Amino acid sequence: MDFIFMLTRDDQTVADALQVADEIESVPLTHIGFKDVGVDTATLQALHRKLKARNATTYLEVVSTTKQAALESARVGRDLGVDWLMGGTWVEETLQVLDGSATQYLPFPGNPVGHPTVLGGSPEVIADHTRQFVSAGAAGVDLLAYRASEADPLDLVRAARNAAPESHLVVAGSIVNREQIAALSDAGADGFTIGQAAFAGVYDPRQGSLRSQLVEILDAAATANR
């Protein structure tokens, strides 16, 4: 299971993302993402170049809550050349934006609302959306399982996995400990994101540096894969 480190806090890319990327260069991260808010386009371009220079797989997660803004975010991701675009709910329109590019798409299933986002929807809704999105051409889904307001998070993960067994399933948001990572692996997730929990030292309060937090999370992901 892939650990995707998000250079984000409070659902925004951190203002010093370029410096943070330099500080963690020695950490063996292979999946790194950011969001389309918090820094300007020039910073996103420089950040993406830096991440690709270390051969990282890159992710941009859309947090825009309007169709126009979400599609503009998709254009930003396409123009940057990110490997994966995550989030958003306007699936067909986003796929049209990405058409002809190498960027793969993982939309939000369920009913995400607000900012920070809360996820509404039953396991049945998640399964239906996952099937619909994959049928439309998405590579899988970006599931906000631990922000669910109407169902058990792991029930949602299992529903998405069973609905499209061959698709890519990433779980994002509010993952803060090793137990959650192990449970996500058991439920069938292919990857998970952590950003704020690492920056704030919440993942492992005994570790004082961001680098130490990331090493601990990588270890949890590797253990879950065994």
Side-chain angles (χ1 to χ4, degrees):
M1 187 167 59
D2 297 324
F3 163 41
I4 304 162
F5 175 48
M6 297 297 288
L7 290 160
T8 60
R9 292 190 74 165
D10 299 320
D11 274 344
Q12 298 186 71
T13 298
V14 294
D16 59 346
L18 290 169
Q19 293 93 316
V20 173
D22 287 336
E23 291 167 6
I24 62 171
E25 189 171 1
S26 63
V27 181
L29 294 162
T30 54
H31 299 264
I32 305 176
F34 47 87
K35 300 190 179 180
D36 61 311
V37 293
V39 296
D40 59 23
T41 301
T43 301
L44 291 179
Q45 291 169 338
L47 177 61
H48 190 254
R49 287 194 298 270
K50 186 180 291 288
L51 298 180
K52 294 310 294 182
R54 63 178 287 169
N55 295 317
T57 299
T58 56
Y59 302 74
L60 186 148
E61 187 170 47
V62 177
V63 294
S64 305
T65 57
T66 68
K67 181 178 179 179
Q68 180 178 353
L71 294 181
E72 180 56 34
S73 298
R75 294 184 190 97
V76 170
R78 177 199 63 196
D79 294 345
L80 288 174
V82 295
D83 297 298
W84 295 89
L85 180 76
M86 303 193 299
T89 57
W90 292 276
V91 178
E92 291 187 5
E93 295 91 338
T94 300
L95 287 169
Q96 289 173 5
V97 170
L98 298 178
D99 187 39
S101 75
T103 300
Q104 300 189 78
Y105 183 38
L106 302 173
F108 288 141
N111 304 308
V113 295
H115 186 77
T117 308
V118 174
L119 181 67
S122 65
E124 292 75 20
V125 169
I126 297 300
D128 286 345
H129 285 185
T130 300
R131 281 190 290 267
Q132 292 170 21
F133 297 167
V134 171
S135 178
V141 293
D142 179 19
L143 179 60
L144 300 168
Y146 283 106
R147 293 186 180 177
S149 61
E150 301 175 21
D152 179 88
L154 296 176
D155 286 344
L156 299 185
V157 177
R158 286 187 284 264
R161 178 77 291 152
N162 292 334
E166 302 303 317
S167 68
H168 199 68
L169 173 56
V170 170
V171 178
S174 301
I175 298 166
V176 297
N177 58 53
R178 182 178 287 262
E179 291 73 24
Q180 287 174 310
I181 294 170
L184 289 174
S185 179
D186 290 341
D190 295 302
F192 64 95
T193 72
I194 292 181
Q196 181 157 317
F199 278 112
V202 171
Y203 180 82
D204 187 347
R206 296 187 62 210
Q207 301 291 341
S209 71
L210 174 60
R211 186 186 189 284
S212 296
Q213 298 282 324
L214 297 176
V215 169
E216 287 294 316
I217 299 168
L218 283 168
D219 180 71
T223 300
N225 286 335
R226 293 179 190 145

